[in-house]
Amino acid sequence: MKVTPKSVKTLEEMDFGEKMVEGFREAAAYAAGEPNECEVEEYEPRVHALTSEYIQEIRRKVARSTKKFEALFGVKARTMEVYERGGRKPDAAMAFLLRSIEADPEAALRLVSKL
């Protein structure tokens, strides 16, 4: 099935809905392997996925054990162990805490020392 990504209007002349339809046409043409004028850029995600291994790596930046992490941040050691084994994914608040630690471990430690 041939998908035509070209429209009659330029992008500047299209309204939002028309731009969306054109974008889907271009994506379908690209996925079908058809030659088109789409510019495709490969990129690395800005954020590392919170896998069980990565959660453990983040925790180890500030605490050698889950017990020490509990003492610092108030997150139960058992909860961290479950995350680190892959038994459960962190909720939004926990993911935020982990991302904050990942971004600046020293700042996270300074912050909790003031609580």
Side-chain angles (χ1 to χ4, degrees):
M1 172 174 110
K2 183 148 174 94
V3 180
T4 16
K6 290 204 172 212
S7 69
V8 199
K9 296 180 181 179
T10 66
L11 278 177
E12 292 77 27
E13 298 170 327
M14 292 182 198
D15 65 25
F16 179 74
E18 291 171 320
K19 288 179 184 178
M20 291 294 293
V21 169
E22 183 65 15
F24 284 122
R25 282 192 185 124
E26 289 177 0
Y30 178 79
E34 297 174 13
N36 58 59
E37 297 175 16
C38 298
E39 290 184 25
V40 178
E41 294 181 27
E42 297 291 328
Y43 68 97
E44 289 295 318
R46 287 183 281 161
V47 181
H48 194 287
L50 284 177
T51 62
S52 56
E53 296 83 12
Y54 199 60
I55 291 170
Q56 186 177 61
E57 187 179 316
I58 292 170
R59 191 247 318 144
R60 285 185 173 161
K61 288 181 178 184
V62 292
R64 296 186 79 183
S65 69
T66 56
K67 287 284 188 195
K68 177 70 174 169
F69 191 87
E70 179 178 355
L72 289 169
F73 295 97
V75 178
K76 298 285 184 196
R78 180 81 179 113
T79 299
M80 285 306 295
E81 290 162 7
V82 171
Y83 292 149
E84 291 178 10
R85 274 198 334 271
R88 194 172 61 197
K89 295 284 183 195
D91 62 14
M94 185 63 190
F96 180 78
L97 173 62
L98 291 168
R99 295 284 183 211
S100 299
I101 294 168
E102 174 189 32
D104 195 340
E106 291 80 22
L109 288 170
R110 282 193 310 274
L111 180 63
V112 296
S113 70
K114 295 179 181 185
L115 298 178

